Amino acid sequence: MTEEQVKLLNDFDFRVRQLIDRCDKLIVENENLKNTLALKDKEITNLEEVIGDMTSKYDNLKLAKALSLNEDETKEAKKRLSALVREIDKCIALLNE
């Protein structure tokens, strides 16, 4: 082999080793990214569960708020209901005439 061929062969060998090293580094990086992705997926799942729980609690709170009228609101509702019943009674009386 000539000196130029030996130099080319050594250069080729060097570049192949660089490619192998780069490939090994990329394999390690890929594994790290896969692990990170798995952790993020678990975190997303946990946060979705938290959102579901919070949504359920919020809905329950809205329902409780709607059902728990304070004393003044209860009295006002009873007055309106009584007025409606009286008006209905008047209408029925008019229809019976």
Side-chain angles (χ1 to χ4, degrees):
M1 264 201 262
T2 67
E3 189 175 314
E4 186 177 328
Q5 289 174 334
V6 170
K7 184 179 175 185
L8 286 173
L9 185 59
N10 287 337
D11 189 43
F12 178 74
D13 184 50
F14 176 74
R15 290 179 188 258
V16 168
R17 289 181 193 275
Q18 281 183 327
L19 283 173
I20 291 171
D21 287 343
R22 181 68 179 144
C23 183
D24 290 341
K25 288 178 184 177
L26 288 173
I27 288 171
V28 169
E29 182 182 0
N30 190 25
E31 285 299 317
N32 289 337
L33 290 172
K34 284 180 182 178
N35 291 337
T36 302
L37 181 62
L39 289 173
K40 295 297 181 184
D41 285 342
K42 286 181 184 178
E43 186 177 347
I44 288 171
T45 302
N46 290 339
L47 289 174
E48 285 174 343
E49 288 177 11
V50 168
I51 289 172
D53 291 343
M54 296 298 263
T55 302
S56 177
K57 288 179 182 179
Y58 177 70
D59 290 341
N60 290 340
L61 183 61
K62 283 193 320 188
L63 180 60
K65 175 77 171 146
L67 293 177
S68 66
L69 300 175
N70 64 28
E71 191 175 317
D72 292 336
E73 291 172 334
T74 304
K75 287 180 182 178
E76 185 64 33
K78 284 181 181 179
K79 286 180 185 177
R80 285 188 307 211
L81 188 57
S82 294
L84 287 173
V85 169
R86 283 192 300 273
E87 191 171 327
I88 290 171
D89 286 341
K90 287 179 185 177
C91 290
I92 290 173
L94 289 173
L95 288 173
N96 286 335
E97 290 180 359

